[in-house]
């Protein structure tokens, strides 16, 4: 035993504490880390049983998790990869600065990629698999680093210099014969390039989690072999403040998703300043991820620090780091070697001694871990080898790395889009780029030539990893949906049966699931509301997906509706998380592109908690060309009587109308649902159109007629005549839950007031408006041609007034008002919801049959087609108060 081991050590003057410390270190030396961990677990158990109330701190010293001794040998050509990274940094910078010198309003980002370049390059050169390797990895790119990804694609030959010159000039590029480059990853704009949209902060992190889980879902259900594939996400430390970024962390650990690796680029800065000026974001994130069950790897310091740590026997560096907050680290990043010598190493004698052998320039070049290819490789290799849990790498970098006085570590770095000549020359010098002063000042894109050693190396690495990234598959195998009669005959031939559209849809879904060839491709998704929507009967038949199976006996095991979880379960029951359920829907809705396995997801939810709650995720789904069905149940502002303001939806269709590739319908009858579902499946699975469908469903039973002959096409176009003659005095339009009120009003008009009304079912105001807008545009662009007539204009031709009634805000039917020549009045549910019965709510919002009748009579009176006294008599007979405030003011 050494002399040191025979002498009691002291810890802050405490001899006993020194003995405990000595014993622990002796055990570590003799038996290794595993034995030490088991002893610590034992001591913690003893302390808990004794009621000591101690818990270990969820944190480790501010140093690298992987020691020098544990580092694997770097397998690549380090000098070559550093040269390549420098080229990409330059081309990314040149792309942004050139665009903003020419057009000051284009914007763009330099500093984020400058900090993350090495993190990306190690991934591209050693870890990110292309499609030719087991189907390829899924990579979510930090959006502000998009210029760097373009710069790499330029060297790979997938983008031209002319393309780079049209960064953020997508419209101008077409005119010039180039491909415009979108600001951030946008599959809609670059459908062969980007796979996932990440530009809206927080969307990428939560999406990556559910994509990783969906890969396991496909594998466990025998639909795809996803072994060997990894989901990588490179995100920013400031982005971790978004609720979506953190909302599903426990799902990963619960599901043991070791196919997921996050790299959080901790450059310590967000747009306006430090992420945590008075704390350390890496420590905070370490505690959060470790507490959620993730494997955490801290990548804080580069290899240049290894010698300092080796000489630091007193742990002065660790103590200094523990006392330095991120705001100060940012200042150190922005300052030169002399400043860091004086203000960091000058804090005490121990630190001064460590810095004695270093010049100011050497201190200035002490790299942080996220800028060291060797350290990054070690972290990535450990993450890739981790089993049983997801991994997060917390990599410390400098924002604007290499931008020197122009931007490195500056508060204004994120907004830096222009550089003066000196800053450009300094950047070139920092990365030793072979450009003349004139070339640098002209911001010439640098390409070393196809035969250069650098590009040969680059191509060889990508070929070894299975091809180039990012890349997106546009098409997959076409699926033939079953005939609508096989799952929807009951709706097509309803013959007056009473049912709600929700009930009808669930029965259709069950029929689709039972189809032996097509059923396995159907993915039912709910957010803890399956029983509400009458879907409990699906639990036992098809199972709820769980990677752990079912390790308990459910309370209702004897019931035909019992809760059944299974490894090969088909239903995704996401708990009380609309964001999680929508993310699962996106993963399934893009499976045709991501995995080459077309799936058909149906996500059913309270309509109020769809577009309003997770509208940003739906917009991202549209961007990545999702294909599937969103079902807003208990739709409308008056169908969900007792729930009140928070649950009653009167505006989701207006939100849906803003999404260009969302086809939104508000069906009133079961056969309408069947026709729309059939059409949607044909469009998305057979014709492979990049659209998705939003259907609102009601929970109110109505008597359903059978499908009239020849109306299928008009149901899809958005409007068809249900009853009445073309000679009627008024046309009534109803949709969703309001169709029954419209029909009842038409009956009263005929029986009580002698007014004939024609009733139309308006299944989609948005589809009607889009077609009419397209016709209007064509007419304006072709004034020399005979004018075309929009479908809605042709349907509602003539002078008879049109009264459109909806359970949504008036603005929804008013979408078509400009295309109708006849007098047009919209009745809707503007204002906040209330808790009451359906009849009371419809009276309150002035959309019930009595208000419809009075509106018709008043409109006819205003048009001179009826005596005003008759209209007033109706109001009096129905006890309607003409002086009552409108519902949106109550």
């Amino acid at each position: 035993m050494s002399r040191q081991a025979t002498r009691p050590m002291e810890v802050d003057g405490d001899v006993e504490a020194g003995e405990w410390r000595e014993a622990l270190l002796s055990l570590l030396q003799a038996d290794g880390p595993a034995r030490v961990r088991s002893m610590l677990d034992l001591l913690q158990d003893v302390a808990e049983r004794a009621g000591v109330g101690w818990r270990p701190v969820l944190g480790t010293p501010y140093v690298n998790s992987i020691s020098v001794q544990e580092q694997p040998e770097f397998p690549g050509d380090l000098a070559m990869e550093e040269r390549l990274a420098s080229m990409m940094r330059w081309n990314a910078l040149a792309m942004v600065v050139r665009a903003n010198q020419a057009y000051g309003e284009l914007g763009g980002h330099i500093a984020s990629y400058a900090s993350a370049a090495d993190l990306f390059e190690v991934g591209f050169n050693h870890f990110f698999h292309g499609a030719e390797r087991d189907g390829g990895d899924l990579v979510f790119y930090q959006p502000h680093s998009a210029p760097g990804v373009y710069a790499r694609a330029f060297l790979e030959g997938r983008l031209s210099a002319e393309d780079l010159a049209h960064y953020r000039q997508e419209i101008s590029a077409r005119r010039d014969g180039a491909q415009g480059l979108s600001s951030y990853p946008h599959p809609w704009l670059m459908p062969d390039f980007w796979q996932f949209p990440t530009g809206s902060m927080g969307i990428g992190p939560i999406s990556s989690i559910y994509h990783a889980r969906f890969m396991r879902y496909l594998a466990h259900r025998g639909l795809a072999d996803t072994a060997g594939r990894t989901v990588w996400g490179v995100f920013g430390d400031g982005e971790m403040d978004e609720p979506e970024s953190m909302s599903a962390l426990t799902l990963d650990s619960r599901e043991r998703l070791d196919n997921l690796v996050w790299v959080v680029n901790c450059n310590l800065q967000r747009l306006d300043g430090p992420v945590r000026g008075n704390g350390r974001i890496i420590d905070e994130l370490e505690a959060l991820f470790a507490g959620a069950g993730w494997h955490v790897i801290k990548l804080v310091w580069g290899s240049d620090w290894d010698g300092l740590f080796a000489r630091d026997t007193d742990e002065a560096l660790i103590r200094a780091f523990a006392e330095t907050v991120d705001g100060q680290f940012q200042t150190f990043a922005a300052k030169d070697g002399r400043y860091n010598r004086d203000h960091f190493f000058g804090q005490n004698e121990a630190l001064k001694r460590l810095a004695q052998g270093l010049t100011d320039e050497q201190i200035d070049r002490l790299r942080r871990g996220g800028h060291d290819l060797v350290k990054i490789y070690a972290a990535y290799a450990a993450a890739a080898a981790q089993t049983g849990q997801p991994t997060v790498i917390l990599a410390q970098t400098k924002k604007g790395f290499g931008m020197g006085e122009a931007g490195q570590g500056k508060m204004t770095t994120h907004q830096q889009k222009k550089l003066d000549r000196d800053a450009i020359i300094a950047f070139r010098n920092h990365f030793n780029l072979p450009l003349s002063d004139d070339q640098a000042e002209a911001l010439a894109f640098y390409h070393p030539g196809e035969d250069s050693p650098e590009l040969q190396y680059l191509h060889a690495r990508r070929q070894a990893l299975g091809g180039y990234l990012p890349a997106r598959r546009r098409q997959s195998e076409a699926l033939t949906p079953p005939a609508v009669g096989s799952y929807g005959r009951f709706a097509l031939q309803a013959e007056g049966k009473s049912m709600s559209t929700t009930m009808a849809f669930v029965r259709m879904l069950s029929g689709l699931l039972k189809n032996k060839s097509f059923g396995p491709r159907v993915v039912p998704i709910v957010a803890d509301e399956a029983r509400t929507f009458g879907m409990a009967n699906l639990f036992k038949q098809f199972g709820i997906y769980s990677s752990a199976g079912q390790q308990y006996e459910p309370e209702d095991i004897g019931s035909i509706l019992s809760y059944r979880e299974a490894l090969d379960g088909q239903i995704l029951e996401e708990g009380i998380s609309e964001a999680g359920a929508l993310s699962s829907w996106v993963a399934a809705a893009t499976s045709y592109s991501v995995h080459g396995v077309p799936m058909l997801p149906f996500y059913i939810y309270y309509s109020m908690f769809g577009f309003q709650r997770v509208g940003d995720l739906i917009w991202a789904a549209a961007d990545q060309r999702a294909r599937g069905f969103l079902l807003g149940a208990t739709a409308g502002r008056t169908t969900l009587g007792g729930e009140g303001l928070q649950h009653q939806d009167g505006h989701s269709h207006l939100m849906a109308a803003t999404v260009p590739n969302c086809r939104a319908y508000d069906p009133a009858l079961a056969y309408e649902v069947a026709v729309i579902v059939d059409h949607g499946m044909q469009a998305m699975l057979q014709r492979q159109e990049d659209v998705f469908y939003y259907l609102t469903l009601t929970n109110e039973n109505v008597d359903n007629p059978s499908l009239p002959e020849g109306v299928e096409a008009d149901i899809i176009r958005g409007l068809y005549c249900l009853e009445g003659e073309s000679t009627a005095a008024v046309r009534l339009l109803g949709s969703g839950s309001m169709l029954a009120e419209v029909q009842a009003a038409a009956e009263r008009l005929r029986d009580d007031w002698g007014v004939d009304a024609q009733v139309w079912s308006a299944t989609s105001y948005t589809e009607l408006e889009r077609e009419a807008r397209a016709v209007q545009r064509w007419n304006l662009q072709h004034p020399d041609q005979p004018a075309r007539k929009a479908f809605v204009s042709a349907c509602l031709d003539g002078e008879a007034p049109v009264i459109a009634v909806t359970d949504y805000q008036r603005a929804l039917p008013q979408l078509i008002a400009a295309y109708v020549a006849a007098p047009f009045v919209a009745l809707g549910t503007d204002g906040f919801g209330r808790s009451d019965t359906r009849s009371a709510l419809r009276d309150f919002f002035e959309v019930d049959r009595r208000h419809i009748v009075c509106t018709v009579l008043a409109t006819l009176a205003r048009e001179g087609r009826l005596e005003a006294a008759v209209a007033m008599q109706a109001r009096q007979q129905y006890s309607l108060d003409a002086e009552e405030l409108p519902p949106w003011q109550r």
Side-chain angles (χ1 to χ4, degrees):
M1 184 176 293
S2 68
R3 182 181 179 187
Q4 183 181 15
T6 61
R7 290 171 49 199
M9 295 182 290
E10 295 186 14
V11 177
D12 295 331
D14 188 336
V15 175
E16 184 180 13
E19 291 174 346
W20 277 88
R21 182 175 185 271
E22 180 181 344
L24 184 67
L25 292 173
S26 178
L27 180 65
L28 175 64
Q29 184 177 7
D31 296 331
R35 183 61 174 164
V36 171
R37 285 195 294 270
S38 68
M39 288 298 102
L40 291 174
D41 289 340
L42 173 64
L43 291 174
Q44 182 179 349
D45 183 60
V46 171
E48 286 178 350
R49 292 176 183 274
V52 174
W54 176 83
R55 291 286 186 279
V57 175
L58 282 176
T60 57
Y62 204 70
V63 296
N64 295 339
S65 300
I66 300 173
S67 68
V68 177
Q69 294 76 20
E70 296 172 313
Q71 279 180 203
E73 183 177 351
F74 186 75
D77 184 326
L78 187 60
M80 183 76 72
E81 293 188 25
E82 287 181 339
R83 288 201 300 275
L84 281 166
S86 296
M87 294 175 196
M88 291 164 201
R89 276 193 169 95
W90 171 263
N91 287 332
L93 175 141
M95 185 189 325
V96 176
V97 176
R98 279 176 65 161
N100 283 278
Q101 283 183 347
Y103 309 99
E105 77 255 30
L106 288 179
H109 301 277
I110 301 170
S112 292
Y113 178 70
S115 69
D118 298 304
L119 300 173
F120 281 117
E121 282 309 299
V122 172
F124 278 122
N125 287 325
H126 301 284
F127 292 95
F128 298 165
H129 292 170
E132 297 168 17
R133 179 90 171 264
D134 301 322
D137 289 343
L138 283 59
V139 185
F140 289 77
Y141 300 92
Q142 188 180 17
H144 292 144
S145 295
V149 181
Y150 294 141
R152 168 170 264 271
F154 167 62
L155 293 185
E156 291 169 339
R158 300 195 297 143
L159 293 176
S160 68
E162 192 65 18
D163 296 333
L164 265 58
H166 284 84
Y167 170 65
R168 291 195 172 196
Q169 298 162 66
E170 296 166 88
I171 299 170
S172 305
R174 292 184 61 188
R175 180 194 63 213
D176 298 338
Q179 176 179 350
L181 304 182
S182 59
S183 54
Y184 305 122
H186 290 299
W188 188 265
L189 301 174
M190 299 178 68
D192 297 315
F193 194 84
W194 294 116
Q195 242 183 347
F196 308 109
T198 55
S200 189
M201 299 289 100
I203 300 297
I206 193 171
S207 296
S208 71
I209 289 171
Y210 282 89
H211 270 283
R213 202 275 295 266
F214 191 72
M215 284 168 63
R216 291 289 169 84
Y217 172 89
L218 290 174
H220 288 153
R221 292 193 53 228
L223 295 169
D225 180 5
T226 59
R229 301 178 67 188
T230 300
V231 179
W232 296 84
V234 183
F235 309 118
D237 48 358
E239 187 174 4
M240 294 299 105
D241 283 344
E242 287 286 1
E244 293 88 351
S245 297
M246 292 293 176
S247 64
L249 294 187
T250 55
L251 171 71
D252 304 83
S253 55
R254 186 169 68 246
E255 299 281 330
R256 301 172 65 84
L257 296 179
D258 51 18
N259 62 341
L260 177 65
V261 178
W262 278 13
V263 182
V264 181
N265 176 22
C266 298
N267 58 34
L268 314 185
Q269 285 184 250
R270 52 190 177 202
L271 275 66
D272 293 334
V275 176
R276 295 291 184 273
N278 296 306
R280 282 183 298 279
I281 187 61
I282 288 180
D283 288 350
E284 180 181 322
L285 294 178
E286 178 185 22
L288 282 167
F289 280 95
W294 286 54
H295 176 53
V296 180
I297 298 175
K298 289 166 76 169
L299 173 58
V300 189
W301 308 109
S303 301
D304 305 322
W305 290 85
D306 289 342
L308 297 176
F309 281 116
R311 300 202 310 271
D312 185 22
T313 55
D314 296 328
E315 296 187 347
L317 280 173
I318 293 177
R319 288 195 300 273
F321 294 150
E323 296 169 359
T324 305
V325 296
D326 282 354
Q328 191 61 48
F329 277 127
Q330 179 190 350
T331 301
F332 290 144
K335 303 296 184 179
D336 60 14
R338 169 55 62 179
Y339 181 93
N340 280 269
R341 180 189 296 278
D342 294 342
H343 292 83
F344 178 75
F345 289 104
Q347 294 179 77
N348 56 57
E349 290 302 318
L351 292 174
K352 287 180 181 177
R353 286 195 298 273
L354 287 175
Q356 278 179 354
L358 300 176
T359 65
D360 290 347
E361 183 179 359
Q362 287 174 317
I363 291 175
D364 190 47
R365 287 187 173 265
L366 286 172
R367 285 180 291 180
R368 298 184 178 180
H371 300 306
D372 189 314
L373 302 183
V374 173
K375 298 291 187 183
I376 298 169
Y377 179 86
Y380 283 20
Q386 182 66 26
T387 59
Q389 62 186 146
T391 297
V392 61
I393 298 169
L394 304 176
Q396 183 173 227
T397 64
K398 293 181 181 180
K399 193 158 190 176
F401 179 64
M403 292 174 66
E405 288 295 321
Q408 181 171 287
K410 302 286 187 181
M411 291 291 190
T412 57
T413 295
H414 190 83
Q415 306 299 338
Q416 193 76 43
K417 308 174 196 315
K418 296 181 180 180
L419 299 176
D420 61 24
R421 182 181 186 280
D422 291 342
I424 292 169
I425 297 298
F427 189 92
R428 179 208 61 185
N429 293 343
H430 183 92
F431 292 108
N432 297 314
L433 289 156
L435 294 166
S436 67
D437 288 356
D438 290 342
Q439 288 175 317
E441 188 175 4
L443 295 165
F445 296 128
Y446 179 71
H447 193 289
E450 286 297 330
D451 296 331
S452 66
E454 290 86 357
L455 289 201
Q456 290 180 19
Y457 182 89
L458 179 149
H459 289 301
R461 293 309 310 143
R462 287 315 311 162
Q463 289 165 9
L465 289 168
Y468 299 96
L469 290 175
R472 180 182 174 277
R473 179 192 292 110
R474 286 196 185 205
Q475 301 288 322
S476 65
E477 61 170 315
L479 288 184
T480 301
V484 63
S486 67
Y487 61 88
R489 186 175 305 279
F490 72 94
L492 302 177
Q493 299 174 7
E495 298 178 348
K497 292 186 180 69
S498 179
M499 70 184 94
S500 68
T501 51
T502 297
M503 183 191 307
F505 163 74
V506 172
R507 188 171 170 184
M508 292 176 208
L509 177 63
S510 179
L512 286 170
L513 288 165
K514 290 175 182 176
N515 185 286
K516 290 185 178 180
S517 60
F518 185 79
R521 300 301 183 99
V522 176
V523 185
I525 303 171
V526 289
D528 200 42
E529 289 290 355
R531 296 185 193 276
T532 303
F533 307 134
M535 297 173 65
N537 65 312
L538 302 181
F539 290 166
K540 195 166 187 177
Q541 294 181 73
F542 304 103
I544 298 163
Y545 172 71
S546 169
S547 62
Q550 189 162 40
Q551 301 178 24
Y552 62 94
E553 184 178 280
E555 171 273 329
D556 59 354
I557 193 170
S559 167
I560 61 171
L561 305 180
S562 65
Y563 198 83
R564 183 174 74 87
E565 298 186 69
L567 183 66
D568 61 349
Q570 195 159 354
I571 301 168
L572 291 174
E573 214 287 9
E574 302 297 7
I576 306 175
S577 173
E578 285 84 6
L582 201 283
S583 296
S584 270
W585 180 84
V586 171
T590 57
S591 178
Y592 75 93
S593 173
V594 176
H595 307 292
V597 180
M599 304 293 288
L600 184 65
F602 291 89
Y603 170 31
I604 184 170
Y605 54 90
Y606 270 117
S607 64
M608 181 66 168
F609 302 139
F611 277 82
Q612 173 171 300
R613 191 69 173 267
V614 290
D616 203 11
L617 279 163
I618 291 175
W619 187 259
D623 188 350
Q624 59 197 297
R625 300 168 181 260
R627 301 172 185 172
F629 288 93
L630 298 174
L631 294 308
T634 59
R637 191 150 281 169
T638 69
T639 60
L640 195 59
E643 294 285 358
L645 183 151
Q646 189 61 30
H647 286 66
Q648 293 171 345
D649 168 31
H651 47 276
S652 67
H653 270 285
L654 289 171
M655 296 179 180
T658 67
V659 184
N661 55 339
C662 174
R663 304 193 68 175
Y665 291 88
D666 187 22
L669 301 167
Y671 68 71
E672 293 176 352
V673 175
V675 169
I676 295 165
V677 168
D678 176 63
H679 179 269
M681 290 195 297
Q682 296 289 342
M684 294 183 291
L685 299 177
Q686 188 67 33
R687 298 192 296 274
Q688 300 201 51
E689 297 175 12
D690 291 329
V691 294
F692 65 97
Y693 284 68
Y694 176 52
L695 275 69
T696 43
L697 305 173
T698 68
N699 60 340
E700 186 173 0
N701 289 341
V702 297
D703 295 336
N704 279 262
S706 297
L707 174 69
E709 186 177 352
V711 301
E712 293 90 337
D714 290 349
I715 289 173
I716 298 305
R717 297 177 82 173
L719 186 67
Y720 69 101
C721 184
L722 195 61
E723 58 188 58
E725 301 299 327
S726 59
T727 57
V730 66
R731 278 81 63 84
L732 301 180
L733 277 55
S735 53
S737 58
M738 289 296 103
L739 180 60
E741 291 294 328
V742 164
Q743 290 175 306
E747 186 177 352
R748 284 198 180 188
L749 282 166
R750 183 188 65 240
D751 295 345
D752 298 347
W753 305 99
V755 175
D756 289 332
Q758 191 180 40
V759 176
W760 293 72
S761 179
T763 54
S764 179
Y765 287 110
T766 55
E767 288 298 298
L768 291 171
E769 190 275 337
R770 287 172 179 173
E771 190 268 349
R773 189 184 345 138
V775 170
Q776 181 187 64
R777 178 178 180 271
W778 189 94
N779 288 336
L780 291 172
Q781 291 182 333
H782 302 83
D784 58 331
Q785 301 291 321
R788 295 177 178 176
K789 197 161 194 173
F791 174 71
V792 66
S793 303
C795 287
L796 301 177
D797 201 5
E799 299 179 355
V802 175
I803 312 297
V805 188
T806 178
D807 213 357
Y808 288 82
Q809 293 176 352
R810 285 170 170 80
L812 181 62
Q814 284 171 342
L815 289 172
I816 66 169
Y819 308 103
V820 177
F824 188 96
V825 178
L827 297 181
T829 54
D830 296 69
F832 286 119
R834 298 290 195 280
S835 297
D836 215 307
T837 63
R838 289 175 182 145
S839 60
L841 288 167
R842 288 165 187 170
D843 173 45
F844 174 81
F845 284 110
E846 302 173 355
V847 291
D848 66 358
R849 60 199 66 181
R850 299 174 308 139
H851 282 91
I852 296 171
V853 168
C854 289
T855 299
V856 169
L857 297 177
T859 302
L860 291 174
R862 287 290 182 189
E863 293 295 314
R865 305 182 190 191
L866 188 76
E867 294 293 330
V870 175
M872 294 305 296
Q873 179 187 347
R875 294 195 65 85
Q876 185 176 11
Q877 179 173 321
Y878 295 142
S879 301
L880 302 185
D881 184 359
E883 305 307 319
E884 177 72 85
L885 285 173
W888 57 88
Q889 293 182 9
R890 299 181 212 171

